[in-house]
Every structure is written in structure tokens, then in C-alpha cells.
Amino acid sequence: LLNRSSDLVEDEYITLWTRQASEIMKEIEENGIYKVKEEYIRKKNDTISDYYLKLYKWFTREAKKYIEIEDEYLYPIWFSVADEFRLRPVEGTVTLKLKIPSKDILLCNYDAWGYVVNYFYVPLDEADKLRHKEELAKYGLTSDDELFLTAKGNFYPLLKRKVEKSWERIFTLKPDDEKACIVAAAWEIKKEWIEEVESYEG
């Protein structure tokens, strides 16, 4: 299982990177801590904010099966697990390098997360992917998202539930390349975790 067997969480602390808006760094400086607020998500995602708010709340509910998260924390903060895959700062942002206690982070299969974002089934392997595709065809469906974006989900509730159940695999399905295909999530950033701050140079 991803969060029990990964080499990334063997130590007490894990080094991670995240890119955040510059004003968030100011908030950390003033308050010593940062947690995601709904207003930040709405500012970033504009007209599709409601979609992401719902998605992130689902992510947090599922994450509580693996990690202790206080009820007030609804939205995750994303981190890169390797320097070569981190986001570099752009205008209006900073990139933080942090050392976070392993108990406070949860690993996520980023490829599988992409499936969830698009309402797709998360397959165990290529054979499982093919079997599921054949099952869709049997019901006259061309894509999983039809079960969520059209009325077809009402006609095939068990198939819809199967797809939803597969989404839990984002926390358990271990990819071949951990550094490239894994991201980490935490629900707060503490000032004392920050080791370096990289600002946009222009």
C-alpha cells in the first residue's frame, strides 16, 4: 500500500516543496501557521470553484481514514516530493522548501488523482482497465463521466458506485516511479517547518 510501504515516509520527517501565493507567506509570517481557506480556492479557480471545493472536501473525508485531521481543516495543501518535480515560482508566488513530520502528511498517487478529477475509474492495472472498458461498452457507455454528468448514472447505480469506490485507490495504489507520480498532502503549513523561501526573480 502506498502510504505504508513508500520509502518516502520511512523517516520521521520528509522534505517537501510547495508553491503558494505571496500573500500566504505573509500570513505564515504573521500567524505562524497557514491553512487553506475557501476564499483562496475561489480566487484561484473562479467559475469552477464549486467543483474543486466539493472535490477537496471528498479528498479530506477519505484522507481521514489514514491520517488524523482536525474537523476545521477541509482542504488539502499540495506538495512535491522531489526537487526536480517541484513548481518554480511565477509572478505573485513563492516556492517553499519544508521539512514536515511524516505523521502530518499523506501521499497521493498523482496519476490516479487525475482520474478522480475527471470522474474516471481508477484501475488496478492494465488488465483491470480493459475489463472496465468492456463493462462500459456492455452498457452502451463510452466514458465513466457519463455516469456523473448525465442521467445515465441513475440507470446504472452499481456501476457508478464501482467507479466512486475505485477513487479510494489514490492513497493505496503504488506507482512504479514514486518521485514522478506521487504528491503529498497536508492540511496546514507551520512556520517552523519552512527551510527555504524562493521568490520570483522575473
Side-chain angles (χ1 to χ4, degrees):
L1 296 180
L2 175 59
N3 279 281
R4 295 178 185 172
S5 62
S6 173
D7 294 338
L8 296 170
V9 291
E10 281 186 344
D11 297 327
E12 186 179 353
Y13 289 86
I14 179 172
T15 299
L16 300 169
W17 292 261
T18 185
R19 186 174 69 190
Q20 300 292 334
S22 298
E23 59 261 33
I24 288 172
M25 188 62 219
K26 294 178 184 176
E27 183 174 328
I28 295 171
E29 291 287 353
E30 292 174 2
N31 302 321
I33 194 169
Y34 162 70
K35 64 178 181 179
V36 182
K37 298 176 182 176
E38 182 176 319
E39 64 191 79
Y40 296 149
I41 296 174
R42 292 196 177 278
K43 182 178 180 181
K44 180 180 180 181
N45 295 287
D46 196 24
T47 57
I48 57 172
S49 294
D50 287 342
Y51 168 71
Y52 276 102
L53 288 166
K54 181 179 178 182
L55 193 62
Y56 291 154
K57 286 177 181 177
W58 172 87
F59 183 95
T60 299
R61 284 198 306 273
E62 290 299 316
K64 287 182 176 181
K65 297 176 181 178
Y66 303 91
I67 186 174
E68 188 173 330
I69 304 170
E70 295 181 24
D71 290 341
E72 64 183 286
Y73 292 86
L74 300 177
Y75 312 113
I77 303 167
W78 301 103
F79 300 86
S80 300
V81 300
D83 180 68
E84 60 263 41
F85 297 110
R86 69 181 174 89
L87 295 174
R88 268 55 183 179
V90 296
E91 189 174 359
T93 71
V94 295
T95 295
L96 308 178
K97 178 183 178 182
L98 311 100
K99 185 166 283 189
I100 301 178
S102 296
K103 67 178 181 61
D104 292 318
I105 66 102
L106 188 66
L107 301 180
C108 172
N109 184 317
Y110 191 64
D111 288 344
W113 172 245
Y115 280 66
V116 176
V117 170
N118 289 288
Y119 298 115
F120 294 161
Y121 175 76
V122 178
L124 289 168
D125 50 35
E126 284 300 318
D128 186 38
K129 186 176 184 179
L130 180 60
R131 285 193 298 270
H132 180 69
K133 187 175 181 180
E134 291 172 345
E135 186 176 10
L136 285 180
K138 185 174 71 172
Y139 291 106
L141 301 171
T142 58
S143 177
D144 296 314
D145 60 4
E146 293 180 66
L147 295 167
F148 299 88
L149 302 177
T150 74
K152 292 180 181 179
N154 297 326
F155 295 102
Y156 309 114
L158 293 180
L159 185 57
K160 181 178 179 180
R161 178 59 187 146
K162 174 194 171 187
V163 174
E164 290 177 324
K165 185 69 176 173
S166 78
W167 295 347
E168 299 173 10
R169 295 172 182 162
I170 62 173
F171 301 117
T172 60
L173 197 59
K174 193 173 181 180
D176 293 330
D177 187 342
E178 290 198 1
K179 287 188 175 181
C181 301
I182 288 178
V183 293
W187 281 259
E188 63 184 2
I189 293 176
K190 294 182 178 180
K191 186 176 180 179
E192 61 263 30
W193 293 347
I194 299 173
E195 294 194 320
E196 296 177 13
V197 179
E198 182 184 354
S199 302
Y200 176 67
E201 298 295 337

